[in-house]
Every structure is written in structure tokens, then in C-alpha cells.
Amino acid sequence: MGLALLDAGLLVGFYNLLFWNRFGHWAGFTPSVWALIVLWVGASYLLGRYSKPEQGQRDSQRWRLLATVLVALLVLASVVVIFSWGLKVDDPRTFRSFILPLLAATAGLSALAQLWANRRQRRRHHWLLVGDAGEIRILQQELLGDQAAQGLELVYCDGASLHLQRQRIRAGLDGIAVSEAAELDDGLLQELLAIRGKGTAVRSLVVWAEQHLQRVPPELFSSRWLVQAEGFELQPGRWGWRLKRLGDVAVASLLLLLSAPLLALAALAIKLNDGGPVLYGQRRTGIYGEPMQIWKLRSMGVQAEAQGAQWAQRNDPRITWIGAWLRKLRLDELPQLVSVLKGDMSLIGPRPERPELEGELEEAIPHYRVRHWVRPGLSGWAQVCYPYGASVEDSRRKLSYDLYYLRNANLMLDVLILIKTLRLVARGQGAVPRHTSL
């Protein structure tokens, strides 16, 4: 967010300086300025300039600098194609004396800010995680290979051996995260209070996971903690619940109107492909565990589930060639906007699962039913942060993101999820299962 705001400020500042130098007065916030901001920030976001590297991808200064140059070239090409060639605009703001210096200055300072942000993120943070043996084992497994944990230097211990870490604590830590299940005597509690009083951060293990991983492994809290925990503001009757519902109706209506031509073309393509039905209905689990019916554009063969419900898999042979494109662009999900208007779903929330699979998930994953506290959504925090799920382990990992969303849901988080969803759709990502089997 900081990098995006800086880029917007650079564009506004340099635009007005060049305008004043050429015409003798300030331009202010004109439509041209807003168009440049939208083009620059939008292209930067799609190329990942404002995001940490995704899991499995290496980040490098060369790629960040190259992405900055590509953004500048894309904006320049857009201005040339749209205004000079398309609209034939006769503008005294020439390329050589206005547009080129503007984009060059913005790109230079933006690239320097990128390098500074990268170096700042590379600083390793030292944390001491205190919990019982089971929690420590789960955390070690969770953080193994996790991109979010690469900048963390972690030390694990249980409550009984916390006193053995005194020397490490005195040497300096960024913080200590303590589980509610950790057994601490009064002496250790007083020592933690003294450490906190000297400026070292002391967090609960759940809050630490939220802050550093943006998710919460379900094994880290108990039912008692859930009863007493703060957050979970998306409850019926609250102001946030009503505001979210109003936004769902308004945005879903607009999306249905705008996507009507795409739906018609997709329906025609499906019909011409194999002559089968255009829509495919499924029973899913809605809010409070109540069953509901959703409809999708059919992306699999007519007899895809003749043997019952199955997990999707990579290179699934049941998917038609038309269906592969529909899934890649998420067009197959558009009919669910009707479920949003009916109140069965929301635009943002945990994805609804099939009842035939949920029995297995509830037995294998603790606190799984908590995700039913809110309306399921077309997209959600789990969908934009984790690849397509196709196994029990994937569902467990996605639940950790859903729990984060349930506890921290607000308007800004919903907007962020919507922006991330648009990026996934534009890049054709997130529609392929990560695993091929259970």
C-alpha cells in the first residue's frame, strides 16, 4: 500500500511540476492524472511490484527493476495507442518534453523505493515461540517451506524450559509468542512482564500467527478460546453485517449486468462443445451448516460424477477443453452471483464445500464448523492466499486462512480480497489443484 501511494504521489507531483514549467500554472488532479495513476498502479500490481514473492518464486532486484521498466513502457504505449493513434488528440504536452520525463522520473524514484523496501523486508526477525509439545510440532510442520516464514529466525521451547532461554532473551529478541496451553509458573510470568516492560513484544501464539502468517492453524486454540475471543464481527444484526450485505447486493447486481454478454457466449460455447446442459447444480453447505443449491457453468463432462462426488485433481480428465478456459478465467463461477442476490452467499467469505466431503473434513480438522459462522463467498482470503484445494490437507490449510478472515473481517480486508481476486483472474491463476490425490 505504501509503495502504491508513493507511486501515485510521484505521478501527481512530477505531472504538476512539468505542467507548471510548460504552461505557468498547476494542473491539480485532472482526469489525465487519474488515468495515469490507474494505469501505473494497476500494471504494477498485476506484475507483482507491490507484493511479496509468491510461494515457489524467487525474488530478485533485477526482476523488480525490470518490472518497473515494463510498467513505464506499458503506460507509455497506452498513452500513444489510446490518445495519439486512437482518439487523435492534438495535445501540446509532447512526448519528448512531457510524457517521457514524467515516466522516467517516476520510474527512477519508484525503483529506488522498491529496492529500499526489499532490503527492509530482508531483515530477519527473531522470535521465541513457547507452547506445548504438540503445538511446537504443528508450528514446525506449518512453517516448513512457508514463504511467510522465510524472514523469521525462530526458536521453539515449552513452558518448562523457558527459563533456559534467559541468555537468549537477554541477548535481544524481537518478541516472544506464548501459547495459552503453555505451563508457566508465577516466576516466569513476572519475568515475561519485566521483558515486556523493557520494550520486547510479548504476544499470544494465535495473535503472532495472525500478524506474521495471516492465518491461524486450527490446532492453536481451544473451544474455550473461541467462546471468549474478540473479533468475529460478522454476526447477524451488527452494523458490519448489514453493510456487507448492502455491498453484496450492489456489486453482484452490477457484475451480473456487465457479465451478461460473457455468460451468453460461454453458454453457447458449452452447448456447441458437447450438446449437454449449460448449467450444473451442486448442493453446498451454507451459513450455520444449512444446505443450499448453487449453479455453475458446466466445465466437466455430463457423466463427470456418475460414481459420486470426487476431489478435483491436476489435469483432471473430466474437464472439457471449454471448461478448462472457463475455470482459468473463473467464468464458471458467475451464475453464483444469483445466490449472492438471494442471500445464500456473499461476494467475500469461505468457499462453500460439498456436504458429501464435509463429514470427512470435520473428523480430520478441529474447529472446521467455525467457517459456517458467516455466509460462504465467491472468493475469500483462503482463495487469494492459497492454491486450489483438492485434499484434506489443503482444506485444513485453507481453514487456517478462513479463521483469520472470520476474526479480522472488515471493509478494508474485503476490498483487499476483491483486488487480489481480480489479479488472480487477470493472470489466470489459482484454478488448478495443488495436489493430485489425497
Side-chain angles (χ1 to χ4, degrees):
M1 183 67 73
L3 291 172
L5 291 175
L6 174 65
D7 284 353
L10 290 173
L11 287 168
V12 173
F14 285 126
Y15 187 99
N16 278 275
L17 283 174
L18 290 167
F19 199 93
W20 177 81
N21 182 63
R22 187 169 180 81
F23 302 106
H25 62 90
W26 301 106
F29 286 90
T30 65
S32 297
V33 174
W34 284 112
L36 285 172
I37 291 174
V38 170
L39 283 172
W40 183 283
V41 174
S44 294
Y45 182 72
L46 288 176
L47 289 175
R49 294 184 67 242
Y50 303 142
S51 307
K52 293 181 180 180
E54 298 174 5
Q55 191 163 347
Q57 293 183 351
R58 295 183 61 186
D59 193 20
S60 68
Q61 293 184 358
R62 290 182 180 179
W63 163 245
R64 295 279 175 169
L65 293 175
L66 176 60
T68 304
V69 174
L70 287 175
V71 169
L73 292 176
L74 285 172
V75 174
L76 179 61
S78 300
V79 172
V80 171
V81 172
I82 295 174
F83 293 100
S84 294
W85 297 352
L87 301 179
K88 306 292 185 181
V89 176
D90 185 15
D91 198 321
R93 294 166 293 182
T94 62
F95 290 106
R96 181 172 298 179
S97 63
F98 198 93
I99 298 299
L100 287 179
L102 169 65
L103 294 179
T106 301
L109 290 182
S110 180
L112 290 176
Q114 287 273 324
L115 296 178
W116 174 82
N118 280 359
R119 290 178 180 176
R120 182 179 177 86
Q121 287 181 351
R122 287 176 181 174
R123 175 185 173 272
R124 300 188 69 82
H125 297 270
H126 297 77
W127 279 82
L128 175 62
L129 306 186
V130 184
D132 62 28
E135 290 172 328
I136 291 174
R137 183 175 62 256
I138 289 168
L139 280 172
Q140 290 174 330
Q141 294 173 349
E142 285 277 326
L143 300 179
L144 186 63
D146 193 310
Q147 190 77 15
Q150 289 188 0
L152 299 172
E153 191 74 35
L154 303 176
V155 178
Y156 304 90
C157 75
D158 55 24
S161 59
L162 180 59
H163 66 282
L164 299 177
Q165 302 294 333
R166 285 191 175 99
Q167 185 174 356
R168 189 187 301 272
I169 293 172
R170 294 192 186 100
L173 289 168
D174 290 291
I176 304 173
V178 184
S179 166
E180 293 186 358
E183 297 182 1
L184 304 176
D185 57 34
D186 290 340
L188 287 174
L189 287 173
Q190 292 302 319
E191 190 166 343
L192 288 175
L193 286 173
I195 292 169
R196 184 175 184 179
K198 294 179 180 178
T200 301
V202 179
R203 303 278 189 270
S204 73
L205 211 51
V206 171
V207 172
W208 178 87
E210 289 183 332
Q211 292 177 345
H212 292 273
L213 307 179
Q214 285 77 55
R215 58 187 177 88
V216 185
E219 295 86 356
L220 292 189
F221 51 80
S222 63
S223 297
R224 182 182 181 88
W225 181 89
L226 273 174
V227 170
Q228 300 174 339
E230 297 181 355
F232 302 100
E233 295 296 326
L234 289 181
Q235 299 297 316
R238 296 194 178 186
W239 183 80
W241 175 276
R242 296 190 180 98
L243 180 63
K244 184 177 177 67
R245 179 61 186 152
L246 179 63
D248 284 341
V249 172
V251 176
S253 300
L254 179 62
L255 288 176
L256 267 178
L257 182 63
L258 295 177
S259 63
L262 285 176
L263 281 169
L265 288 174
L268 179 62
I270 294 170
K271 200 68 178 177
L272 293 175
N273 182 51
D274 59 9
V278 171
L279 295 177
Y280 174 66
Q282 279 187 343
R283 286 176 62 82
R284 297 290 180 101
T285 303
I287 187 170
Y288 308 133
E290 296 294 329
M292 66 176 186
Q293 185 84 356
I294 68 168
W295 294 92
K296 304 171 70 173
L297 292 176
R298 184 172 59 83
S299 59
M300 292 187 176
V302 177
Q303 300 297 324
E305 293 196 334
Q307 299 178 354
Q310 303 176 42
W311 291 100
Q313 54 185 304
R314 185 180 294 272
N315 300 321
D316 198 321
R318 299 173 297 164
I319 299 176
T320 64
W321 71 273
I322 288 292
W325 281 101
L326 294 177
R327 287 187 170 217
K328 191 176 184 67
L329 300 175
R330 307 295 179 92
L331 296 180
D332 62 319
E333 308 282 356
L334 288 177
Q336 294 173 52
L337 290 170
V338 176
S339 297
V340 175
L341 294 178
K342 291 170 56 180
D344 291 337
M345 295 181 64
S346 173
L347 290 173
I348 305 298
R351 282 294 294 159
E353 190 53 85
R354 306 184 66 172
E356 300 93 329
L357 302 175
E358 283 207 315
E360 179 184 4
L361 296 176
E362 289 179 15
E363 292 181 4
I365 306 173
H367 311 297
Y368 179 83
R369 294 191 66 84
V370 174
R371 71 195 304 273
H372 296 153
W373 288 4
V374 297
R375 288 189 182 99
L378 278 174
S379 184
W381 189 236
Q383 280 64 49
V384 300
C385 293
Y386 192 76
Y388 190 103
S391 70
V392 174
E393 177 55 32
D394 282 342
S395 296
R396 177 188 166 280
R397 181 63 68 93
K398 285 202 167 187
L399 176 62
S400 69
Y401 288 104
D402 290 335
L403 292 172
Y404 175 90
Y405 176 77
L406 263 66
R407 214 167 91 86
N408 299 277
N410 55 56
L411 179 61
M412 288 301 297
L413 183 56
D414 278 8
V415 171
L416 176 61
I417 293 171
L418 179 60
I419 293 173
K420 282 179 171 285
T421 302
L422 294 175
R423 180 186 175 193
L424 287 175
V425 172
R427 299 175 68 174
Q429 295 178 330
V432 179
R434 175 171 179 158
H435 298 295
T436 57
S437 65
L438 295 181

